[in-house]
Amino acid sequence: MSRRHLAMAVAALLTTASLAACGDSGGSSEGAAKTLTYWASNQGASIEFDKQTLQPELDKFEQQTGIKVNLEVVPWSDLLNRLLAAATSGKGPDVVNIGNTWSASLQATNALIPFDDATLGEVGGKDRFVPAALAAAGAPGKPPAAVPLYSLAYALYYNKKMFTDAGITTPPATWEELVETGKKLTKSGQWGLAVEGANPSENSHHAFTFGQQWGGEWFDSAGKPTFDTPQNVAAVKRYIDLMAVDKIVNPSNAEYAQNQSVADFANRKAAMLLWQAAGSNLKAQGMSPDEWGIAPVPFPATPPPGGKKVNSMVAGINIAVFKHTENREGALQFVKFMTSDAEQVILNKTYGSLPSVKPASADPAFQAPEQKVLGEVLGSTAAPLPQVPEESQFETLVGTAMKELFADAAGGKAVTEAQVKEKLGVAQQKMGS
Amino acid sequence: MATTTAPGPVRPAGRPAQDGPPRPRGRRTVRRTYLPYLLLVPAALLELGIHVVPMLVGVWMSLLELTQFHIRDWSTAPFTGFENYRVTFDFGSATGKDLLHSFWVTALYTTLSVGFSWMLGLAAAVFLQRPFKGRALLRTLFLTPYALPVYTAVITWTFMFQRDTGLVNHALDQLGLIDGANPPFWLIGENSFVALLIVSVWKSWPFAFLCLMAGLQNVPPELYEASAIDGANFWRRLRDVTLPMLRPVNQVLLLVLFLWTFNDFNTPYVLFGGSAPRQADLISIHIYQSSFVTWNFGLGSAMSVALLLFLLVVTAVYLLVTNRRREHA
């Protein structure tokens, strides 16, 4: 390279570097205070649906406060990893949605701002929030790592016409009845129940509920995993047996992980579905609201010793603020906006979920049959998943073990108690290592 | 600006002027000695930043108890020495047993995938060696999988492998090869390994094809003519002319394919998601699970370091053996 070329290259390099530096400083001094980045979890039938739902609300917020919110809707399958990456690197969005079951796990990373009484005061005060939902926002005895945004519960959805055609008048209230009903409704091209067999989170939620009903606990009082107790083994086996023994679940469901079970129910390939607030999703898939009915998730007819009357987790989505935000005040303003009475009504109505703040619950929008059942379950028979730092590991390890059990069942292999115990045992050992 | 005002006369001071006196010899040798190293500096710096430093960080992380309690500021994580390595190599425990399992799955997967990719690539390259009508089109077609973005291509495969709605089972059913009422699973259970292998070979063989086709361009046609006169048939020519001439290409190609396939993360991750079926639990996914799913980054780092050492040893042995063979040849 000649001198001249070298000089040219150096000049170019310096120019670019100085321009880049200018751009950088300009961006952080002026722009940051007026913008926020928000990762929303995928709540509606599609990411596009969520964008269309949220954008008008974000525009409203910008009008009120002058703060522009950049929205990204993140699919559930990526969300935990992305949150983890943001927590590790200290770079990422200002405000995020988290699955409420991950609250204690994310709280342990110390990357989210704690909602102590003073911070809660900035977003409207502790007493605004539904207590059960706030309890699922962090480990007991610590300031919550987030505040609840949307509340959900599991319920049993059933196809009214299929029930009438088979001469069934009331939805099943016990597992025994559900199996009996399911057998009547399983015929060519149609199955009694649809499950999401390859989705670890979904599996682990059922592991929790069935575990409660069978008298099991997934963690002891010291927070140590107790996965392979006889109660938990029986509970998980009961769930897998819906496919393996009762044969009311299509074996194909063993590879479902993209909400295909909801699609099967909406397309009349399955008569029943256990899901959290499925209504808006079913509507999006072309099933009219009067085609389906809703009932609480069943219980065992004769509860085993120690069995609890729990038929759902306290499901829901929380909103949290990263400590690394350069605009703490704006972020909290945004949290306050999203949990305001008006926004709670608008958003929860669209998503078919329940408000997480008390004043909004009275709105007539939440008196529809679906929301009534979900509300009753949340108010009386739902329990939060264990709020321990290892909760997210529980979901993936136990959920994956169940995915393997479903694969065995779908492949025609008998699923024995010993196998269930072994798989849960392996999952437990991995927690310890 | 410096570029436009650079005065003409000052120009090539350090450059041998054609009409000037001859340079002193000593200076020239100094330049000869140092210039190559100087030219390597940018590459070495990049290598340092992109590979060496992260690798050292990885080794350091493998000595820490790095869980969700410390990832935010990982320099505060407690030092545990070789505890993570003890867990990694404790093949009696659940973690070690599963790691060993996924190691064997990966070894088999790599052997089969590289083997099939190489054979397909060779067959296609030999087939397309002679000019004929439509050769260019075929070459382009064969390279398509290599040109497609991995994510898109593998996602398409997951659709095709769906049990009820997938194209694979539909086609097999049409051909009467499976029981249509009870079609097999491809993405869970025993067949998941086969599905993974099919996608992997589909993805890698065009690269083998490309390299081997380039290699074949260097084989002098006289060699074939001579062997044809000697009456050698196709297989004889393949064995005694084509393969020996391709040896240098193959040496690199097989090594690269081996390393890529052994470390392959994209294919299984897109095909199965974060939790692969046990039968197709490749080591890369397994390490990902240990790090990101169970949030034990120290353990994941220890596993990565162990894998890196294994691959280094294999590569070193391979290079030693193949180089020696070439010297003997």
Side-chain angles (χ1 to χ4, degrees), chain A residues 351-384:
Chain A
Y351 290 133
S353 45
L354 295 173
S356 61
V357 298
K358 289 179 215 162
S361 311
D363 191 276
F366 306 109
Q367 304 310 313
E370 183 185 20
Q371 277 65 36
K372 259 184 130 162
V373 170
L374 297 179
E376 278 162 24
V377 168
L378 269 184
S380 56
T381 52

mmCIF file of all heavy atoms in Angstrom, chain A residues 351-384:
data_model
loop_
_atom_site.group_PDB
_atom_site.id
_atom_site.type_symbol
_atom_site.label_atom_id
_atom_site.label_comp_id
_atom_site.label_asym_id
_atom_site.label_seq_id
_atom_site.Cartn_x
_atom_site.Cartn_y
_atom_site.Cartn_z
ATOM 1 N N TYR A 351 -57.753 -10.177 25.439
ATOM 2 C CA TYR A 351 -57.074 -11.469 25.567
ATOM 3 C C TYR A 351 -57.928 -12.522 26.276
ATOM 4 O O TYR A 351 -57.537 -13.685 26.360
ATOM 5 C CB TYR A 351 -55.756 -11.295 26.323
ATOM 6 C CG TYR A 351 -54.718 -10.539 25.519
ATOM 7 C CD1 TYR A 351 -53.983 -9.501 26.088
ATOM 8 C CD2 TYR A 351 -54.460 -10.879 24.194
ATOM 9 C CE1 TYR A 351 -53.029 -8.824 25.349
ATOM 10 C CE2 TYR A 351 -53.507 -10.208 23.455
ATOM 11 C CZ TYR A 351 -52.792 -9.172 24.033
ATOM 12 O OH TYR A 351 -51.853 -8.507 23.307
ATOM 13 N N GLY A 352 -59.065 -12.114 26.804
ATOM 14 C CA GLY A 352 -59.907 -13.080 27.516
ATOM 15 C C GLY A 352 -59.339 -13.483 28.858
ATOM 16 O O GLY A 352 -59.763 -14.472 29.440
ATOM 17 N N SER A 353 -58.377 -12.740 29.342
ATOM 18 C CA SER A 353 -57.808 -13.031 30.663
ATOM 19 C C SER A 353 -58.508 -12.179 31.713
ATOM 20 O O SER A 353 -59.456 -11.471 31.402
ATOM 21 C CB SER A 353 -56.306 -12.746 30.637
ATOM 22 O OG SER A 353 -56.055 -11.506 29.997
ATOM 23 N N LEU A 354 -58.040 -12.258 32.941
ATOM 24 C CA LEU A 354 -58.691 -11.511 34.017
ATOM 25 C C LEU A 354 -57.791 -10.382 34.483
ATOM 26 O O LEU A 354 -56.565 -10.512 34.467
ATOM 27 C CB LEU A 354 -58.973 -12.440 35.200
ATOM 28 C CG LEU A 354 -59.968 -13.567 34.923
ATOM 29 C CD1 LEU A 354 -60.021 -14.507 36.116
ATOM 30 C CD2 LEU A 354 -61.343 -13.010 34.625
ATOM 31 N N PRO A 355 -58.373 -9.264 34.937
ATOM 32 C CA PRO A 355 -57.554 -8.153 35.417
ATOM 33 C C PRO A 355 -56.765 -8.565 36.656
ATOM 34 O O PRO A 355 -57.204 -9.423 37.425
ATOM 35 C CB PRO A 355 -58.582 -7.083 35.780
ATOM 36 C CG PRO A 355 -59.861 -7.512 35.171
ATOM 37 C CD PRO A 355 -59.806 -8.989 35.034
ATOM 38 N N SER A 356 -55.621 -7.945 36.809
ATOM 39 C CA SER A 356 -54.816 -8.247 37.988
ATOM 40 C C SER A 356 -54.992 -7.181 39.053
ATOM 41 O O SER A 356 -54.372 -7.244 40.097
ATOM 42 C CB SER A 356 -53.354 -8.331 37.591
ATOM 43 O OG SER A 356 -52.947 -7.082 37.063
ATOM 44 N N VAL A 357 -55.837 -6.173 38.760
ATOM 45 C CA VAL A 357 -56.114 -5.147 39.767
ATOM 46 C C VAL A 357 -57.596 -5.205 40.131
ATOM 47 O O VAL A 357 -58.445 -5.466 39.279
ATOM 48 C CB VAL A 357 -55.733 -3.731 39.266
ATOM 49 C CG1 VAL A 357 -54.241 -3.660 38.977
ATOM 50 C CG2 VAL A 357 -56.516 -3.342 38.036
ATOM 51 N N LYS A 358 -57.863 -4.994 41.419
ATOM 52 C CA LYS A 358 -59.222 -5.204 41.927
ATOM 53 C C LYS A 358 -60.280 -4.319 41.261
ATOM 54 O O LYS A 358 -61.325 -4.831 40.863
ATOM 55 C CB LYS A 358 -59.246 -4.998 43.449
ATOM 56 C CG LYS A 358 -58.551 -6.118 44.213
ATOM 57 C CD LYS A 358 -58.593 -5.809 45.706
ATOM 58 C CE LYS A 358 -57.342 -6.272 46.410
ATOM 59 N NZ LYS A 358 -57.172 -5.630 47.722
ATOM 60 N N PRO A 359 -60.033 -2.979 41.127
ATOM 61 C CA PRO A 359 -61.139 -2.138 40.617
ATOM 62 C C PRO A 359 -61.630 -2.566 39.236
ATOM 63 O O PRO A 359 -62.824 -2.442 38.944
ATOM 64 C CB PRO A 359 -60.514 -0.741 40.555
ATOM 65 C CG PRO A 359 -59.355 -0.780 41.474
ATOM 66 C CD PRO A 359 -58.850 -2.179 41.452
ATOM 67 N N ALA A 360 -60.714 -3.092 38.372
ATOM 68 C CA ALA A 360 -61.118 -3.431 37.013
ATOM 69 C C ALA A 360 -61.957 -4.695 36.961
ATOM 70 O O ALA A 360 -62.719 -4.908 36.013
ATOM 71 C CB ALA A 360 -59.882 -3.591 36.131
ATOM 72 N N SER A 361 -61.853 -5.532 37.995
ATOM 73 C CA SER A 361 -62.548 -6.820 37.959
ATOM 74 C C SER A 361 -64.056 -6.656 37.892
ATOM 75 O O SER A 361 -64.765 -7.542 37.427
ATOM 76 C CB SER A 361 -62.189 -7.643 39.202
ATOM 77 O OG SER A 361 -60.809 -7.666 39.372
ATOM 78 N N ALA A 362 -64.556 -5.520 38.402
ATOM 79 C CA ALA A 362 -65.997 -5.325 38.460
ATOM 80 C C ALA A 362 -66.601 -5.028 37.096
ATOM 81 O O ALA A 362 -67.817 -5.089 36.918
ATOM 82 C CB ALA A 362 -66.321 -4.176 39.417
ATOM 83 N N ASP A 363 -65.754 -4.734 36.120
ATOM 84 C CA ASP A 363 -66.261 -4.373 34.798
ATOM 85 C C ASP A 363 -67.101 -5.512 34.214
ATOM 86 O O ASP A 363 -66.754 -6.685 34.354
ATOM 87 C CB ASP A 363 -65.074 -4.086 33.871
ATOM 88 C CG ASP A 363 -65.511 -3.451 32.577
ATOM 89 O OD1 ASP A 363 -65.907 -4.203 31.662
ATOM 90 O OD2 ASP A 363 -65.478 -2.218 32.494
ATOM 91 N N PRO A 364 -68.242 -5.154 33.561
ATOM 92 C CA PRO A 364 -69.120 -6.208 33.018
ATOM 93 C C PRO A 364 -68.425 -7.120 32.020
ATOM 94 O O PRO A 364 -68.860 -8.255 31.810
ATOM 95 C CB PRO A 364 -70.247 -5.413 32.337
ATOM 96 C CG PRO A 364 -69.919 -3.978 32.480
ATOM 97 C CD PRO A 364 -68.811 -3.819 33.442
ATOM 98 N N ALA A 365 -67.307 -6.653 31.433
ATOM 99 C CA ALA A 365 -66.599 -7.483 30.457
ATOM 100 C C ALA A 365 -66.157 -8.805 31.074
ATOM 101 O O ALA A 365 -65.974 -9.799 30.370
ATOM 102 C CB ALA A 365 -65.381 -6.725 29.935
ATOM 103 N N PHE A 366 -65.985 -8.810 32.401
ATOM 104 C CA PHE A 366 -65.459 -10.021 33.024
ATOM 105 C C PHE A 366 -66.550 -10.853 33.688
ATOM 106 O O PHE A 366 -66.285 -11.661 34.565
ATOM 107 C CB PHE A 366 -64.336 -9.639 34.009
ATOM 108 C CG PHE A 366 -63.298 -8.800 33.332
ATOM 109 C CD1 PHE A 366 -63.160 -7.455 33.629
ATOM 110 C CD2 PHE A 366 -62.498 -9.350 32.339
ATOM 111 C CE1 PHE A 366 -62.229 -6.670 32.959
ATOM 112 C CE2 PHE A 366 -61.570 -8.573 31.664
ATOM 113 C CZ PHE A 366 -61.437 -7.234 31.975
ATOM 114 N N GLN A 367 -67.793 -10.614 33.261
ATOM 115 C CA GLN A 367 -68.904 -11.411 33.788
ATOM 116 C C GLN A 367 -69.355 -12.468 32.786
ATOM 117 O O GLN A 367 -70.326 -13.182 33.011
ATOM 118 C CB GLN A 367 -70.087 -10.507 34.165
ATOM 119 C CG GLN A 367 -69.733 -9.396 35.154
ATOM 120 C CD GLN A 367 -68.994 -9.924 36.370
ATOM 121 O OE1 GLN A 367 -69.407 -10.920 36.968
ATOM 122 N NE2 GLN A 367 -67.905 -9.272 36.743
ATOM 123 N N ALA A 368 -68.658 -12.592 31.644
ATOM 124 C CA ALA A 368 -68.981 -13.640 30.670
ATOM 125 C C ALA A 368 -68.729 -14.997 31.319
ATOM 126 O O ALA A 368 -67.952 -15.086 32.272
ATOM 127 C CB ALA A 368 -68.109 -13.460 29.437
ATOM 128 N N PRO A 369 -69.410 -16.067 30.824
ATOM 129 C CA PRO A 369 -69.270 -17.376 31.469
ATOM 130 C C PRO A 369 -67.812 -17.801 31.647
ATOM 131 O O PRO A 369 -67.421 -18.276 32.711
ATOM 132 C CB PRO A 369 -69.993 -18.322 30.505
ATOM 133 C CG PRO A 369 -70.900 -17.467 29.698
ATOM 134 C CD PRO A 369 -70.342 -16.093 29.697
ATOM 135 N N GLU A 370 -67.008 -17.585 30.592
ATOM 136 C CA GLU A 370 -65.616 -18.031 30.695
ATOM 137 C C GLU A 370 -64.891 -17.308 31.819
ATOM 138 O O GLU A 370 -64.272 -17.927 32.683
ATOM 139 C CB GLU A 370 -64.888 -17.778 29.359
ATOM 140 C CG GLU A 370 -63.461 -18.300 29.382
ATOM 141 C CD GLU A 370 -62.654 -17.970 28.120
ATOM 142 O OE1 GLU A 370 -63.021 -17.043 27.386
ATOM 143 O OE2 GLU A 370 -61.644 -18.666 27.899
ATOM 144 N N GLN A 371 -65.003 -15.968 31.815
ATOM 145 C CA GLN A 371 -64.268 -15.199 32.821
ATOM 146 C C GLN A 371 -64.800 -15.481 34.222
ATOM 147 O O GLN A 371 -64.067 -15.436 35.194
ATOM 148 C CB GLN A 371 -64.340 -13.700 32.504
ATOM 149 C CG GLN A 371 -63.304 -13.251 31.485
ATOM 150 C CD GLN A 371 -63.521 -13.870 30.121
ATOM 151 O OE1 GLN A 371 -64.653 -14.058 29.702
ATOM 152 N NE2 GLN A 371 -62.439 -14.233 29.447
ATOM 153 N N LYS A 372 -66.113 -15.779 34.304
ATOM 154 C CA LYS A 372 -66.691 -16.090 35.621
ATOM 155 C C LYS A 372 -66.062 -17.358 36.195
ATOM 156 O O LYS A 372 -65.653 -17.403 37.348
ATOM 157 C CB LYS A 372 -68.199 -16.260 35.503
ATOM 158 C CG LYS A 372 -68.956 -15.037 35.954
ATOM 159 C CD LYS A 372 -70.429 -15.306 35.907
ATOM 160 C CE LYS A 372 -71.110 -14.935 37.200
ATOM 161 N NZ LYS A 372 -72.568 -14.791 36.977
ATOM 162 N N VAL A 373 -66.007 -18.412 35.340
ATOM 163 C CA VAL A 373 -65.414 -19.671 35.813
ATOM 164 C C VAL A 373 -63.950 -19.451 36.189
ATOM 165 O O VAL A 373 -63.499 -19.863 37.262
ATOM 166 C CB VAL A 373 -65.544 -20.771 34.731
ATOM 167 C CG1 VAL A 373 -64.723 -21.994 35.113
ATOM 168 C CG2 VAL A 373 -67.001 -21.159 34.536
ATOM 169 N N LEU A 374 -63.201 -18.778 35.291
ATOM 170 C CA LEU A 374 -61.781 -18.550 35.566
ATOM 171 C C LEU A 374 -61.607 -17.761 36.865
ATOM 172 O O LEU A 374 -60.740 -18.053 37.689
ATOM 173 C CB LEU A 374 -61.124 -17.795 34.403
ATOM 174 C CG LEU A 374 -61.102 -18.508 33.050
ATOM 175 C CD1 LEU A 374 -60.444 -17.623 31.995
ATOM 176 C CD2 LEU A 374 -60.376 -19.839 33.138
ATOM 177 N N GLY A 375 -62.478 -16.755 37.047
ATOM 178 C CA GLY A 375 -62.401 -15.935 38.246
ATOM 179 C C GLY A 375 -62.671 -16.738 39.510
ATOM 180 O O GLY A 375 -61.979 -16.587 40.518
ATOM 181 N N GLU A 376 -63.680 -17.614 39.418
ATOM 182 C CA GLU A 376 -64.000 -18.438 40.593
ATOM 183 C C GLU A 376 -62.856 -19.382 40.934
ATOM 184 O O GLU A 376 -62.501 -19.561 42.098
ATOM 185 C CB GLU A 376 -65.272 -19.262 40.317
ATOM 186 C CG GLU A 376 -66.554 -18.459 40.554
ATOM 187 C CD GLU A 376 -67.778 -19.089 39.889
ATOM 188 O OE1 GLU A 376 -67.743 -20.322 39.647
ATOM 189 O OE2 GLU A 376 -68.723 -18.346 39.606
ATOM 190 N N VAL A 377 -62.269 -19.992 39.869
ATOM 191 C CA VAL A 377 -61.147 -20.903 40.107
ATOM 192 C C VAL A 377 -59.999 -20.142 40.771
ATOM 193 O O VAL A 377 -59.444 -20.570 41.786
ATOM 194 C CB VAL A 377 -60.689 -21.554 38.784
ATOM 195 C CG1 VAL A 377 -59.360 -22.267 38.959
ATOM 196 C CG2 VAL A 377 -61.746 -22.519 38.268
ATOM 197 N N LEU A 378 -59.676 -18.982 40.202
ATOM 198 C CA LEU A 378 -58.564 -18.197 40.757
ATOM 199 C C LEU A 378 -58.835 -17.787 42.200
ATOM 200 O O LEU A 378 -57.938 -17.757 43.029
ATOM 201 C CB LEU A 378 -58.345 -16.939 39.911
ATOM 202 C CG LEU A 378 -57.362 -17.039 38.772
ATOM 203 C CD1 LEU A 378 -57.203 -15.688 38.104
ATOM 204 C CD2 LEU A 378 -56.004 -17.529 39.261
ATOM 205 N N GLY A 379 -60.105 -17.490 42.463
ATOM 206 C CA GLY A 379 -60.441 -17.006 43.799
ATOM 207 C C GLY A 379 -60.506 -18.103 44.844
ATOM 208 O O GLY A 379 -60.355 -17.828 46.030
ATOM 209 N N SER A 380 -60.734 -19.352 44.430
ATOM 210 C CA SER A 380 -60.960 -20.370 45.458
ATOM 211 C C SER A 380 -60.103 -21.623 45.341
ATOM 212 O O SER A 380 -59.622 -22.143 46.348
ATOM 213 C CB SER A 380 -62.434 -20.784 45.452
ATOM 214 O OG SER A 380 -62.792 -21.237 44.158
ATOM 215 N N THR A 381 -59.854 -22.134 44.134
ATOM 216 C CA THR A 381 -59.197 -23.445 44.065
ATOM 217 C C THR A 381 -57.881 -23.426 43.290
ATOM 218 O O THR A 381 -57.392 -24.472 42.870
ATOM 219 C CB THR A 381 -60.141 -24.491 43.430
ATOM 220 O OG1 THR A 381 -60.618 -23.958 42.183
ATOM 221 C CG2 THR A 381 -61.298 -24.841 44.318
ATOM 222 N N ALA A 382 -57.299 -22.258 43.077
ATOM 223 C CA ALA A 382 -56.007 -22.207 42.391
ATOM 224 C C ALA A 382 -54.883 -22.002 43.400
ATOM 225 O O ALA A 382 -55.097 -21.410 44.455
ATOM 226 C CB ALA A 382 -55.999 -21.063 41.382
ATOM 227 N N ALA A 383 -53.718 -22.527 43.106
ATOM 228 C CA ALA A 383 -52.560 -22.336 43.976
ATOM 229 C C ALA A 383 -51.370 -21.931 43.117
ATOM 230 O O ALA A 383 -51.234 -22.404 41.994
ATOM 231 C CB ALA A 383 -52.248 -23.612 44.741
ATOM 232 N N PRO A 384 -50.494 -21.047 43.628
ATOM 233 C CA PRO A 384 -49.319 -20.668 42.815
ATOM 234 C C PRO A 384 -48.307 -21.807 42.766
ATOM 235 O O PRO A 384 -48.192 -22.582 43.722
ATOM 236 C CB PRO A 384 -48.749 -19.461 43.553
ATOM 237 C CG PRO A 384 -49.263 -19.531 44.932
ATOM 238 C CD PRO A 384 -50.538 -20.333 44.912
#
